[in-house]
Amino acid sequence: MSDLGDAAIRVSEGDASAFTVIVDATHHKLVRLAARMLGNLADAQDVVQDAYVRAYRSLTAGQFDQRSKVETWLYRIVVNATIDARRKRKRTRTDELVEAGWDGAATADAIVALRELSAWIAELPDEQQAALVLKSVEGLSSAEVAAILECSEGAVEQRLVRARAALRAHGGRDD
């Protein structure tokens, strides 16, 4: 069993300090995922914090059944929380460019292009956006994305095809 799996068991057995192991190992990836889906770092941090609260409560209540890896389970919680947060928004904010390790050396044209792409991705349906970010940006396998989104690998591939087609179509327009 992985270190995170061991930590999850310890939390479920009453060792609250073991949750720190889970947070330390996953925080950066989960915030990056939420930020890429939301386009805003502050909102992403809020979503991840809420996701950790949900995860902790589930672990202490014995609701995590260990059918999936802890990382996969946390990704699922964050994706669902992100989709909920997007639905609650009145409008999508794409003003803040979120890029892990941004070095500030990009040209103004590159920043504008990235903001435009971020806005296009934000317009995709939730399921397509989640599949695209998890697969193409986070680099997860189709099997991992399917586990996170609780669908088949075929459904993941279909969502990716549709998302990419929508982005290509959007890129060809002059808005």
Side-chain angles (χ1 to χ4, degrees):
M1 181 168 290
S2 72
D3 289 342
L4 294 183
D6 291 339
I9 290 170
R10 290 185 9 234
V11 172
S12 69
E13 293 172 346
D15 181 1
S17 66
F19 196 70
T20 303
V21 173
I22 295 170
V23 172
D24 290 346
T26 61
H27 187 262
H28 180 73
K29 287 180 184 179
L30 295 177
V31 169
R32 185 178 63 212
L33 168 65
R36 286 180 170 154
M37 290 184 69
L38 291 169
N40 180 288
L41 184 58
D43 290 346
Q45 290 170 332
D46 290 345
V47 163
V48 171
Q49 175 125 5
D50 289 344
Y52 280 135
V53 170
R54 290 181 198 176
Y56 181 80
R57 286 180 181 155
S58 292
L59 287 172
T60 58
Q63 295 172 336
F64 176 58
D65 59 14
Q66 299 182 23
R67 287 186 308 190
S68 62
K69 296 189 315 184
V70 174
E71 299 93 326
T72 302
W73 177 63
L74 287 171
Y75 268 117
R76 185 179 312 126
I77 293 171
V78 170
V79 165
N80 290 336
T82 301
I83 289 170
D84 291 345
R86 286 183 63 205
R87 288 178 180 156
K88 289 178 185 176
R89 281 188 184 177
K90 296 204 191 280
R91 64 179 185 86
T92 303
R93 290 178 287 185
T94 58
D95 297 336
E96 182 180 344
L97 180 63
V98 178
E99 178 65 32
W102 185 260
D103 65 5
T107 65
D109 289 341
I111 292 171
V112 169
L114 286 172
R115 283 187 178 154
E116 187 173 74
L117 179 60
S118 178
W120 294 347
I121 290 172
E123 292 175 7
L124 292 172
D126 294 332
E127 297 80 17
Q128 290 177 20
Q129 184 190 42
L132 186 69
V133 171
L134 289 167
K135 175 82 172 163
S136 300
V137 179
E138 292 298 316
L140 299 178
S141 70
S142 293
E144 291 170 316
V145 174
I148 291 165
L149 299 180
E150 297 179 314
C151 64
S152 68
E153 287 184 56
V156 168
E157 294 305 324
Q158 185 179 43
R159 291 172 186 178
L160 290 170
V161 166
R162 289 181 179 163
R164 290 173 181 146
L167 291 175
R168 275 192 301 276
H170 210 313
R173 293 191 303 217
D174 288 330
D175 290 357

